[in-house]
Amino acid sequence: AQTVTQSQPEMSVQEAETVTLSCTYDTSESDYYLFWYKQPPSRQMILVIRQEAYKQQNATENRFSVNFQKAAKSFSLKISDSQLGDAAMYFCAVIQGAQKLVFGQGTRLTINP
Amino acid sequence: GAGVSQSPSNKVTEKGKDVELRCDPISGHTALYWYRQSLGQGLEFLIYFQGNSAPDKSGLPSDRFSAERTGGSVSTLTIQRTQQEDSAVYLCASRFQAGTSTDTQYFGPGTRLTVL
C-alpha cells in the first residue's frame, strides 16, 4: 500500500521569503507520479506541481519547485518569494497507475506580511 | 471551458435521511473520482469511474454509500440513512486520458455535508 507523510502540520513564513514543505512517501512501485496540491479556504484543490518518478530532473513551476529524492522517497516543495495568496493547506499526493490519489495529512501554510 | 462543478455547495441534513451529491466533470474527461475530506480521516478515496468499465468501489466506507455515472459524464454520490460521522467535504475530480496516470486530476469545489 502507498502511504504519504507530511510531518509539518503548520508552517509560517514572512512574505517574500522562501519556505520548504516536507513530504515522504512509501510505494513498492517503480513507476508513479507525485503531486503537490494547494487548498485555499474556498476548498478547491488546485494543482501546484507534479513530478514523474522516472524523471531525475526536479519539476519547476514559476516560484514553486520540488526536491525529489527517489532513493530516500522524499518530495519536498519549495516556495520562493512567498506571497499572501500562497496561504493555504498544501497536500502531497502519490498515484500509481490510473487509480486513486493517496494524500498526506496536509501542511497549513501561513504567510506573515 | 468550465472546470469540475459540484452541487450543492453545502448540504445540511438530519440523521437518517438520504442525500444525493452531484458532480459534473470537465467535458471529455473519461475518469471520475470521489474523495471524502474529514477532520479525523483526512482525504480518502471513495470510488473511481473509468469509461464503461466497472467502477472501483474499494474506498466506499459502507453499503450506505453508492455512486453512479450516467452516460459517462455526470455522477451522483448517494448516502442513505446518513450518520453524523458522514459529515465531511465530498470532493469530485476528473481526469482526461484513459489508461494512464500521466494526466492530472482536476478537482471541483466540493460539497460540505453536515449531518445533524
Side-chain angles (χ1 to χ4, degrees):
Chain A
Q2 296 170 316
T3 60
V4 178
T5 302
Q6 294 179 249
S7 59
Q8 305 153 315
E10 296 183 355
M11 292 283 285
S12 63
V13 64
Q14 289 295 125
E15 191 176 4
E17 294 190 348
T18 296
V19 63
T20 298
L21 308 184
S22 300
C23 173
T24 57
Y25 61 94
D26 191 17
T27 178
S28 58
E29 302 296 328
S30 59
D31 184 19
Y32 52 91
Y33 298 79
L34 296 158
F35 301 84
W36 278 98
Y37 280 91
K38 166 185 176 180
Q39 187 180 41
S42 66
R43 294 198 311 246
Q44 184 103 34
M45 295 282 279
I46 302 165
L47 176 70
V48 175
I49 198 166
R50 73 175 193 184
Q51 173 83 40
E52 290 87 347
Y54 65 86
K55 289 187 177 179
Q56 293 186 336
Q57 186 173 7
N58 289 326
T60 299
E61 289 287 342
N62 300 313
R63 297 183 295 106
F64 299 87
S65 61
V66 299
N67 183 3
F68 175 47
Q69 302 289 329
K70 190 172 183 179
K73 296 183 178 176
S74 171
F75 183 60
S76 61
L77 174 69
K78 185 172 83 170
I79 307 174
S80 303
D81 186 25
S82 299
Q83 300 176 359
L84 294 177
D86 295 334
M89 282 290 290
Y90 285 80
F91 292 93
C92 177
V94 62
I95 191 169
Q96 181 270 325
Q99 302 291 326
K100 59 186 178 181
L101 283 165
V102 177
F103 290 91
Q105 291 298 311
T107 296
R108 181 175 302 280
L109 178 64
T110 301
I111 312 295
N112 300 314
Chain B
V4 178
S5 61
Q6 292 186 245
S7 61
S9 178
N10 292 282
K11 176 71 176 179
V12 180
T13 191
E14 295 179 347
K15 179 181 172 181
K17 301 281 189 180
D18 297 352
V19 295
E20 286 188 350
L21 312 180
R22 177 186 169 106
C23 172
D24 283 274
I26 293 172
S27 178
H29 280 197
T30 58
L32 186 148
Y33 304 77
W34 284 97
Y35 295 87
R36 179 170 70 173
Q37 185 175 23
S38 57
L39 283 176
Q41 301 298 322
L43 274 154
E44 305 170 278
F45 164 78
L46 296 178
I47 189 168
Y48 159 59
F49 295 90
Q50 173 58 64
N52 295 321
S53 302
D56 176 354
K57 303 179 182 180
S58 60
L60 294 179
S62 78
D63 59 8
R64 297 185 296 103
F65 288 72
S66 63
E68 63 178 18
R69 189 178 185 192
T70 54
S73 181
V74 172
S75 178
T76 302
L77 177 69
T78 301
I79 309 174
Q80 295 178 310
R81 305 180 304 281
T82 52
Q83 304 294 313
Q84 288 182 333
E85 61 262 30
D86 299 335
S87 295
V89 174
Y90 290 82
L91 293 165
C92 176
S94 70
R95 180 174 64 85
F96 172 65
Q97 192 169 350
T100 172
S101 62
T102 58
D103 292 287
T104 300
Q105 293 182 29
Y106 293 91
F107 283 80
T111 294
R112 180 180 296 281
L113 175 66
T114 303
V115 182
L116 302 177

